[in-house]
Amino acid sequence: MISVQHLTKAFGKFKAVDHVSFDVREGETFALLGPNGSGKSTILKSIVGLIKPTGGDITIGGVSAVKTPQASRKALSYLPQRVGFHDCLTAREVLEFYCRLRKLPISRIDDVVHGSEFNFNGFSEKRVAELSGGMKQKLGLAVACLADAPVLLLDEPTVSLDPAGAIAFRAFLKTLKEKGKTIVFTSHVLADVEMLADRVAVLVDGRLTALVGIDELRQRIAERKQSLEEIYLDYAKTA
Amino acid sequence: MELSSILPIARQELIVAIRNKWTVIFAFVFGSLVLAISYFGTVTAGEIGFQGFNRTTASLLSLVLYLIPLVALMMGTQSFLRSEGEDEMLFSQPVSRSAILGGKLLGLFAAMTTATFVGFGLGGLVIATQTDAEGFLGYPAFVLLSLILSLVFLSLSMLAAVASKRQTKAFGIALLLWFFFVILYDLLVLGGSLLLKERSANYFIFASLFGNPVDIVRVAGLLSMKGGEVFGAAGAALLKFLGGYTQAFAAAITSLILWTVIPILISLRIVRNQDI
């Protein structure tokens, strides 16, 4: 579904991403794991077409995200790490705006707000200025769900959520996974990775240091009696 | 053009401008200006009371040339500046970057148009009820020129915001643009013309007119009032070289269109290659 080949992104002399290659299969939940500054968000933004890669290619469903980003974006929805909307608009107005922009019927808002397993209720008439960081993140997720796109790209999705919100979010993501969505998310919350991901790409200093299936990771945890944190630190050290 | 993408963005931009009270404040300022200038315009001559459209328009023109560029630059820079989370969400939609900028520009222009029509419209209505309608035709032309001037400076604000990633830098450039076009430019042209011989100086003044949209609007405004005696050197040179009111007005409007289109094209070129 998503193919990233020799992706390189340099900011001046600094290489944020260095020849990273991986494929994400249709219906797979794929995690980009790494410390701050490892290039996770840069890779995700390159897939969305927000960042122009210095080298390499990315395709989504066979459409190049580098050459034709607008066309490739039709197949995806993206939730940035820090979402932002105009303070003076209500949550519902924000959703209506994104419905219009993606040429979706306005009734789609009710499908998402009332019809999904995630609790979007209770804030749709509130102004964005009145929403907490977690509520804004929820609104961002609701926007990302509007298009019902086959690919979801989530940048540190649980970072602004409280523990209850994070648990609910993981459960919601599992339902999306069951519906066959292809999900790519970045995280340094290992609990998210362990619970949600089918495969994990470990990044350190812009380079891919490991690409492993979650079952393989679990096997290592069992065999070596190591925690996921310890295994992750091993990968980071060997980079 | 992707009109179906541009229109929702423009609509949202207009709603935000109205909710943030920009539009209401500017409408109030414009309306108050019209009434104050019309009512107190002859106070130095010991008179008080509403003047007709001719005098009001001529006085308003000078003030609008200071005010509208500043308002458009500030409002535009604020809107076109990047807000990380907001832009990532917006630019990740299957919409071209040109459509996003185009939509924002259209929305801002709609907000400026609303403020201008409401402010100048209500003010004009009061004058019409209080005085005779002499010179009324010059008033809509003046309103139209004000709108064109706001569009020119909105597109310049787009360029200032797109070219500079930091907020302080963008507002600094916007203020510099205002100072250059509204205050400094005429002084430079005047200084330059003094260094040249008469014939060359005339050519220089004629050519320099097209280098400043504020001057073009000033001259076009005076042309629309057919106020030949108050054209100044630039207006007189324009008429002399182009041979008549119609040609001069057409040249002024064409150059204002270019002053709008060129900054937009440069902005689009920059934003297409930018990382969000």
Side-chain angles (χ1 to χ4, degrees), chain A residues 9 50 52 78 82 93, chain B residues 19 85 88 93 275-276:
Chain A
K9 177 63 187 179
L50 295 174
K52 309 254 172 198
Y78 168 66
R82 269 185 288 170
E93 284 171 332
Chain B
R19 295 245 176 106
E88 280 188 32
Q93 304 304 315
D275 290 335
I276 305 296

Side-chain angles (χ1 to χ4, degrees), chain A residues 9 45 48-52 70 73 78 80 82 84 86 88-89 93 97-98 100 102-103 140 143, chain B residues 2 4-5 8-9 11-12 16 19 84-86 88-97 272 275-276:
Chain A
K9 177 63 187 179
K45 285 183 183 181
V48 182
L50 295 174
I51 281 180
K52 309 254 172 198
Q70 196 186 334
R73 279 199 289 266
Y78 168 66
R82 269 185 288 170
H86 286 292
C88 61
L89 299 175
E93 284 171 332
F97 166 68
Y98 281 100
R100 289 195 183 96
R102 288 198 84 138
K103 299 166 190 74
V143 169
Chain B
E2 308 157 67
S4 58
S5 305
I9 298 168
R11 183 179 181 272
Q12 178 169 269
V16 169
R19 295 245 176 106
E84 196 186 338
E86 210 174 294
E88 280 188 32
M89 206 83 199
L90 186 57
F91 282 78
S92 70
Q93 304 304 315
V95 175
S96 73
R97 295 181 180 192
R272 265 188 216 126
D275 290 335
I276 305 296

Side-chain angles (χ1 to χ4, degrees), chain B residues 252-270:
Chain B
I253 296 297
T254 308
S255 58
L256 286 172
I257 291 170
L258 289 175
W259 267 105
T260 307
V261 171
I262 291 170
I264 293 174
L265 293 178
I266 299 170
S267 305
L268 293 182
R269 198 179 166 80
I270 293 171

